[in-house]
């Protein structure tokens, strides 16, 4: 891991331009008494219109929200603004701010190969070590480039062991063990990840009821097959997939009755270090360098660097994380920030606690309760008021908003409206019967606002079994209703609140 970084932003610098009013905490230190702004009383007509909108939305469970002036933090409208709900992937917006502040936007993660021994005439009389540096974007192409560097360095033979170090982050078998085994969005986490810790499973009917199956680490131009993840087709209809710990490998089965003529799916990897190690050994073999079976180590030995590959700059990584809502990226960059701030965390929850403390110190949040960095863990809680405080604090720094996705505004029939007068950049969040949206609004008159909308039906969520969490009955229609309400609220805030903007300017 590259430990060279720019100093973390001071709290004063991070909140520059966002602390012009007493709606946000003082610069030097957190105030002893919260300076939370009072919610403006709604005019009767506006309040009744809002009530009607919420009734017509048909979103069961709780709906809480707040919208505030981006410059002052003054809450303009809200409902149950202090009630915390699960933010889902909206969490990633806070994770992005945390990583940017602690690591710096130009930080790059480094994956390297060390020679733990002397290299003489191309022969290493010692061990070769593949060292993970917390790069969530490492793919097979990057490992191929690393293998080529060994050839270019003149290495021909390794007489010692082939070791893999993934302990820059404590290895975890799954982001959220409560998710079904086969979902690709909850893979293992460690300091070494390859292809987002997913393996490509592909099948094709050969003859009669037999199938040819492959498990590989494919990226553009490369398809190395692996044995650390194995698949067996079995005669059953359900469950579609089963997983067992095979000791040295991930053992999967798939139901023959669920397979068509051909298809493919990405499955999560539970042994990321061994997965990357096996693929790297395959790639070095193409250059005539034969490595032994990879073995994991807990402590990093000293050695000379033979090759290294860098990730893109952190800012670019975070843009992709927010665009595609990648859970593994969020957990790795969040833990990497905690590693610099407070040492290697033992659990995702421990790392999230450090992020909570940072958010209170730096963003003025009062009671954030994130349990991870991705939002996949449904125990996370944050209130709309806390979220808009964070977004208002980050507004003056202008680091987060350019990384967020534009939200497509729609008409009453749900049709996209091109060049809509209301501009929104935000982060979505979705779990089963949980929907969140938080970000920035620019109204037609130029007024800038921050908002957070959270909806959740915890009663229904409590009835969903682990096996049914991928596609539970009723989840999609509920999410559609929640998203429709979000769009209506955004349109309301970009238009109904607009006259007040003129009053503020005057």
């Amino acid at each position: 891991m590259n430990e060279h970084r720019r100093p973390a932003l001071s709290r004063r610098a991070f909140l520059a331009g966002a602390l012009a009013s007493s709606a946000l905490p003082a610069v030097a230190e957190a105030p002893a008494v919260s300076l939370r702004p009072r919610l403006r009383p709604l005019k009767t007509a506006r309040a009744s219109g809002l009530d009607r909108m919420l009734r017509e939305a048909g979103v069961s469970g709780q709906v809480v929200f707040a919208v505030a002036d981006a410059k002052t933090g003054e809450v303009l409208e809200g409902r149950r603004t202090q009630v915390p709900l699960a933010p889902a992937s909206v969490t990633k917006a806070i994770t992005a701010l945390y990583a940017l502040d602690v690591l710096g936007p130009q930080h790059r993660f480094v994956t390297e190969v060390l020679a733990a021994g002397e290299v003489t005439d191309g022969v290493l009389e010692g061990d070769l070590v593949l060292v993970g540096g917390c790069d969530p974007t490492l793919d097979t192409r990057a490992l191929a480039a690393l293998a080529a560097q060994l050839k270019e360095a003149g290495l021909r033979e390794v007489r010692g062991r082939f070791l893999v170090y993934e302990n820059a982050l404590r290895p975890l078998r799954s982001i959220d063990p409560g998710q079904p085994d086969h979902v690709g969005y909850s893979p293992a986490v460690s300091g070494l990840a390859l292809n987002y810790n997913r393996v490509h499973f592909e099948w094709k009917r050969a003859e009669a009821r037999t199938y040819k199956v492959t498990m590989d680490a494919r990226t553009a131009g490369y398809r190395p097959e692996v044995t650390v993840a194995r698949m067996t087709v079995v005669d059953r209809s359900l469950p579609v997939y089963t997983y067992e710990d095979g000791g040295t490998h991930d053992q999967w089965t798939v139901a023959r009755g669920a397979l068509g003529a051909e298809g493919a799916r990405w499955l999560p990897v539970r042994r990321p270090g061994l997965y990357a190690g096996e693929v790297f050994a395959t790639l070095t073999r193409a250059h005539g360098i034969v490595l032994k079976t990879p073995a994991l180590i807990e402590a990093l030995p000293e050695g000379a660097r033979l090759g290294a590959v860098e990730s893109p700059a952190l800012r670019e990584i975070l843009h992709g994380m927010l665009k595609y809502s990648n859970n593994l990226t969020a957990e790795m960059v969040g833990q990497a920030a905690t590693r610099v701030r407070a040492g290697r965390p033992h659990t995702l929850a421990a790392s999230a606690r450090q992020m909570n403390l940072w958010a209170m110190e730096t963003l003025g949040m009062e009671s954030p309760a994130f349990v991870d960095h991705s939002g996949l863990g449904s125990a996370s809680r944050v209130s709309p008021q806390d979220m808009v405080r964070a977004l208002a604090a980050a507004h003056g720094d202008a680091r987060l908003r350019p990384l967020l996705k534009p939200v497509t505004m729609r008409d009453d029939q749900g049709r996209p409206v091109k060049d809509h007068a209301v501009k929104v950049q935000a982060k979505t969040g979705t779990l089963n019967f949980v929907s969140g949206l938080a970000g920035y609004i620019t109204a037609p008159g130029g007024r800038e606002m921050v908002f957070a909308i959270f909806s959740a039906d915890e009663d229904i969520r409590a009835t969903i079994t682990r096996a049914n969490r991928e596609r539970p009955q009723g989840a999609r229609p509920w999410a559609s209703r929640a998203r429709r309400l979000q769009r209506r609220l955004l349109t309301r805030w970009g238009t109904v609140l607009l006259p007040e903007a003129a009053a503020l300017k005057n």
Side-chain angles (χ1 to χ4, degrees):
M1 177 177 175
N2 185 1
E3 297 291 342
H4 298 288
R5 62 186 182 91
R6 63 134 179 88
L9 287 173
S10 68
R11 187 175 179 206
R12 182 184 300 272
F14 198 88
L15 300 183
L19 296 173
S21 81
S22 62
L24 293 177
V27 175
E29 57 184 359
V33 178
S34 171
L35 298 178
R36 182 191 304 120
R38 292 183 179 180
L39 180 65
R40 284 188 176 188
L42 291 176
K43 294 179 181 179
T44 304
R46 280 180 53 199
S48 61
L50 186 59
D51 290 339
R52 184 171 59 254
M53 181 187 297
L54 294 174
R55 286 195 305 270
E56 292 174 351
V59 179
S60 64
Q62 297 190 76
V63 178
V64 300
F65 55 82
V67 60
D69 185 273
K71 294 181 180 179
T72 67
E74 180 183 11
V75 177
L76 305 173
E77 184 172 272
R79 284 294 172 94
R80 308 187 73 188
T81 62
Q82 298 180 52
V83 174
L85 291 184
S89 285
V90 172
T91 302
K92 294 181 176 74
I94 302 299
T95 299
L97 290 169
Y98 180 49
L100 285 170
D101 187 32
V102 176
L103 300 175
Q106 296 306 314
H107 179 85
R108 295 176 186 269
F109 301 100
V110 179
T111 306
E112 58 184 346
V113 176
L114 303 180
E118 295 294 328
V119 179
T120 304
D121 295 330
V123 178
L124 171 57
E125 297 285 354
D127 301 329
L128 191 75
V129 189
L130 176 63
V131 182
C134 306
D135 180 4
T137 67
L138 186 74
D139 62 11
T140 301
R141 286 176 300 176
L143 278 189
L146 194 55
Q149 289 181 32
L150 299 187
K151 177 72 172 181
E152 293 166 3
L155 187 67
R156 297 185 294 105
E157 182 181 354
V158 176
R159 293 183 176 171
R161 299 169 297 173
F162 174 37
L163 306 176
V164 178
Y165 179 75
E166 63 175 354
N167 272 28
L169 302 178
R170 182 175 179 268
L172 303 170
R173 284 295 178 94
S174 177
I175 295 173
D176 179 10
Q179 298 292 331
D181 288 323
H182 62 276
V183 294
Y185 55 75
S186 188
V189 184
S190 78
L192 179 60
L194 179 65
N195 301 331
Y196 298 104
N197 284 343
R198 299 179 306 168
V199 62
H200 190 262
F201 163 48
E202 187 172 8
W203 66 91
K204 187 172 185 179
R205 184 180 291 143
E207 56 184 41
R209 288 170 52 82
T210 63
Y211 284 89
K212 177 184 179 182
V213 301
T214 58
M215 301 284 272
D216 62 60
R218 69 177 57 188
T219 52
Y222 296 92
R223 292 182 56 175
E225 293 190 16
V226 299
T227 61
V228 73
R230 305 175 189 178
M231 178 65 73
T232 302
V233 180
V234 297
D235 287 319
R236 66 167 185 264
S237 297
L238 293 172
V240 176
Y241 293 98
T242 68
Y243 169 80
E244 289 184 2
D245 184 340
T248 59
H249 63 277
D250 296 335
Q251 181 60 60
W252 296 93
T253 72
V254 63
R256 191 185 308 274
L259 301 179
E262 59 182 25
R265 173 168 182 152
W266 290 96
L267 293 171
V269 166
R270 303 295 177 207
R271 290 173 168 78
L274 294 180
Y275 176 54
E278 181 180 8
V279 172
F280 186 67
T282 298
L283 296 167
T284 61
R285 194 178 305 119
H287 295 289
I289 305 169
V290 178
L291 303 178
K292 294 181 173 63
T293 300
L296 300 177
I297 54 174
E298 294 189 2
L300 184 62
E302 293 186 2
R305 177 187 281 188
L306 296 182
V309 289
E310 289 188 343
S311 74
L314 178 62
R315 187 180 186 280
E316 182 179 341
I317 292 174
L318 295 176
H319 184 269
M321 176 193 78
L322 294 168
K323 180 178 181 180
Y324 300 108
S325 205
N326 187 276
N327 294 325
L328 179 65
T329 299
E331 301 301 353
M332 290 185 71
V333 300
Q335 286 193 85
T338 295
R339 182 170 178 255
V340 170
R341 174 181 162 90
R344 190 188 77 160
H346 291 289
T347 63
L348 293 183
S351 185
R353 284 194 292 273
Q354 285 296 323
M355 185 171 76
N356 292 336
L357 291 171
W358 171 89
M360 290 187 284
E361 296 165 0
T362 308
L363 300 177
M365 299 179 79
E366 293 185 346
S367 54
F370 300 108
V371 300
D372 58 25
H373 299 288
S374 66
L376 188 57
S378 61
S380 288
R381 293 290 183 272
V382 67
S383 69
Q385 181 165 278
D386 247 1
M387 194 68 203
V388 298
R389 286 170 69 87
L391 293 170
H395 171 69
D397 186 73
R399 285 197 171 191
L400 179 62
R401 185 168 187 171
L403 301 180
L404 297 174
K405 286 176 61 175
V407 173
T408 301
M409 301 297 288
R410 299 175 182 270
D411 61 19
D412 291 340
Q413 284 72 48
R415 296 171 299 197
V417 177
K418 186 178 181 181
D419 298 326
H420 197 285
V422 179
K423 305 299 181 184
V424 180
Q425 290 83 38
K427 181 68 191 80
T428 59
T430 303
L431 295 171
N432 294 323
F433 297 95
V434 170
S435 183
L437 187 70
Y440 298 87
I441 305 172
T442 300
R447 185 183 198 181
E448 295 183 335
M449 292 170 278
V450 291
F451 73 93
I453 310 167
F454 300 125
S455 307
D457 192 324
E458 294 295 343
D459 291 339
I460 296 180
R461 279 186 59 79
T463 68
I464 304 172
T465 64
R466 182 174 184 266
N468 291 328
R469 287 186 180 178
E470 188 174 16
R471 293 186 182 91
Q473 185 176 2
R476 285 189 176 182
W478 186 94
S480 295
R481 292 191 294 272
R483 288 192 294 268
R484 190 178 304 118
L485 174 59
Q486 291 165 2
R487 292 195 299 268
R488 293 191 68 185
L489 286 170
L490 292 175
T491 301
R492 170 186 176 85
W493 294 335
T495 55
V496 174
L497 297 183
L498 185 59
E500 299 185 17
L504 283 177
K505 290 179 180 179
N506 293 333

